[in-house]
Amino acid sequence: MDKYIEVPFDKSVSDSLNAGDYVYLTGTVYVARDAAHKRMMESLDQGRELPFDIKDQTIYYMGPSPKREGKVIGSAGPTTASRMDKYAPRLMDMGMTGMIGKGKRTNEVAEAMHRNKVTYFAAVGGAGALLSKCITSSEIIAYEDLGTEAIRKLEVKDFPAIVVMDCHGNCLYN
Amino acid sequence: MREVSVEAVTDAIEEMCIKVCHELSDDMKACLFNAYDNETSELGKKILGQLKENLEIAKEEMIPVCQDTGMAVVFLKVGQEVHFTGGNITDAVNEGVRRGYTKGYLRKSVVSDPIERINTKDNTPAVIHYEIVPGDKVTITVAPKGFGSENMSRVFMLKPADGIEGVKKAILTAVSDAGPNACPPMVVGVGIGGTFEKCAIMAKEALTRPAGEHSSIGYVKDLEEEMLEKINGLNIGPAGLGGRTTAFAVNINTYPTHIAGLPVAVNICCHVNRHIQWEI
């Protein structure tokens, strides 16, 4: 079933989404992958705040290629989400409601999704040129020294994704 | 001796890196188009359609096909009659990668140390496999390797008693475990025989063989065809969401091995299986 979803979204939206839904996301998402997650966890461990308020936000696991002149961003497809499994439950417990990536997740992640009403979307891996066309703005907001792994704030329009794990315990990969 | 300037190698590699990350080879394109026509899963077909569109956008607008433009793997077959002039050949290869990834707006994904993890910011060094061959030519193959699928690759040190059935099981295990993480449809490179490292390098090189070209060894060709059919029966499908298109090709290379061993390496590549070969 095709659905048009505005991001950020709250837990009630997660509640309404089911594994297998084909969605088009419009609004704001944050981009972070391995190194940015590691650094965010170190910040939290030291009692500092995250670079952005994570409540109701969606994180896109992605590291873009550099942009050419006149473009918003380079190629921008999802990376494998399981590498962030170690960090994701903590962010969900802090209010994150969505994740975009690709591939399977651990049981710990599934439990945290259920507990916090979080949705995991898959974007099509290896379609980075196509997906870049759905990104209307990109701004680095933290950790610029990490290069492609910096935290970015993106505006997306009709970004295609599939609900692969919902907050009700269903997984499309199984 | 034939003199070859290392600058010519640098220039070639620069151009090859840029080209291969923006446009897939004809064999890979043909695989995708063919799969789109034959996929029976509705969602699978929709995803394959997106991948086709992705290739068009990448080529027309010069946006890399995938943002993970890989670690640059370079196979250099050097004729023994060649004399390189003008500098160090390894430096020349890395300079080509540096220029290609910088000028081509390709992602810099290499860190200088596996534990300290500081990005080198120019995607060097490359992983270079040298081979001395007869003749006076230099054959360069550039195959930037993405790590979503690289992380799902495996080496199995089987026993001789495991035989061909053990090899089949190893291949299917690696592909099943890879599932959606490896961005299927995949290309599966397999190395059988040799030693621990030899089978892995063979598996990597097998990925650079055009999809659809088979081994010249009878039983290996049969194994390639049987494995492709079995893999496509796993219902992993495009993006791991079900369907008949799980792999485009299974390419297998073999080498003599030890009386006590049967090494098998399975190097998995996503549908963005980049390989380009030039001769100087």
Side-chain angles (χ1 to χ4, degrees), chain B residues 222-248:
Chain B
D222 293 345
L223 186 60
E224 289 173 343
E225 289 173 343
E226 183 189 339
M227 285 293 96
L228 183 60
E229 194 182 329
K230 286 220 163 76
I231 288 167
N232 284 331
L234 293 172
N235 196 31
I236 294 172
L241 295 169
R244 63 196 293 176
T245 317
T246 298
F248 286 145

Side-chain angles (χ1 to χ4, degrees), chain B residues 152-191:
Chain B
M152 307 315 290
S153 301
R154 303 270 292 275
V155 172
F156 301 82
M157 298 305 285
L158 301 182
K159 298 175 181 66
D162 294 327
I164 197 161
E165 292 307 316
V167 172
K168 291 177 189 174
K169 193 178 161 197
I171 295 169
L172 292 176
T173 298
V175 170
S176 300
D177 290 352
N181 290 19
C183 285
M186 320 168 191
V187 176
V188 183
V190 181

Side-chain angles (χ1 to χ4, degrees), chain A residues 12-132:
Chain A
S12 68
V13 173
S14 266
D15 219 12
S16 72
L17 292 171
N18 297 298
D21 288 345
Y22 200 97
V23 300
Y24 294 92
L25 304 173
T26 297
T28 305
V29 298
Y30 288 90
V31 172
R33 51 171 291 158
D34 307 59
H37 274 79
K38 184 164 184 280
R39 200 175 282 183
M40 284 195 287
M41 295 302 124
E42 286 164 0
S43 280
L44 291 174
D45 289 344
Q46 291 162 6
R48 289 183 280 129
E49 293 197 341
L50 295 180
F52 61 98
D53 181 1
I54 198 151
K55 186 173 179 334
D56 294 341
Q57 298 297 338
T58 292
I59 292 187
Y60 181 18
Y61 302 136
M62 192 271 285
S65 63
K67 73 183 179 95
R68 286 181 182 269
E69 294 288 320
K71 299 278 186 196
V72 171
I73 198 165
S75 195
T79 194
T80 306
S82 61
R83 291 196 316 276
M84 269 54 76
D85 284 358
K86 188 177 168 186
Y87 314 117
R90 189 171 185 180
L91 298 177
M92 288 188 252
D93 290 340
M94 292 177 68
M96 177 172 75
T97 51
M99 300 171 281
I100 308 169
K102 65 176 172 85
K104 294 179 180 175
R105 313 298 299 265
T106 57
N107 288 337
E108 288 73 20
V109 168
E111 283 164 16
M113 287 174 61
H114 184 63
R115 182 167 72 237
N116 295 294
K117 292 197 187 297
V118 178
T119 306
Y120 170 45
F121 307 92
V124 174
L130 177 79
L131 292 170
S132 76

Side-chain angles (χ1 to χ4, degrees), chain B residues 83-124:
Chain B
H83 174 223
F84 285 118
T85 60
N88 176 315
I89 184 63
T90 300
D91 290 347
V93 170
N94 282 321
E95 182 59 24
V97 169
R98 181 176 292 115
R99 289 185 200 168
Y101 275 72
T102 306
K103 292 184 191 171
Y105 295 86
L106 305 179
R107 198 177 79 180
K108 288 76 177 173
S109 310
V110 173
V111 293
S112 60
D113 180 278
I115 301 302
E116 294 171 348
R117 308 197 74 83
I118 307 297
N119 197 303
T120 62
K121 299 202 184 321
D122 60 9
N123 221 52
T124 67

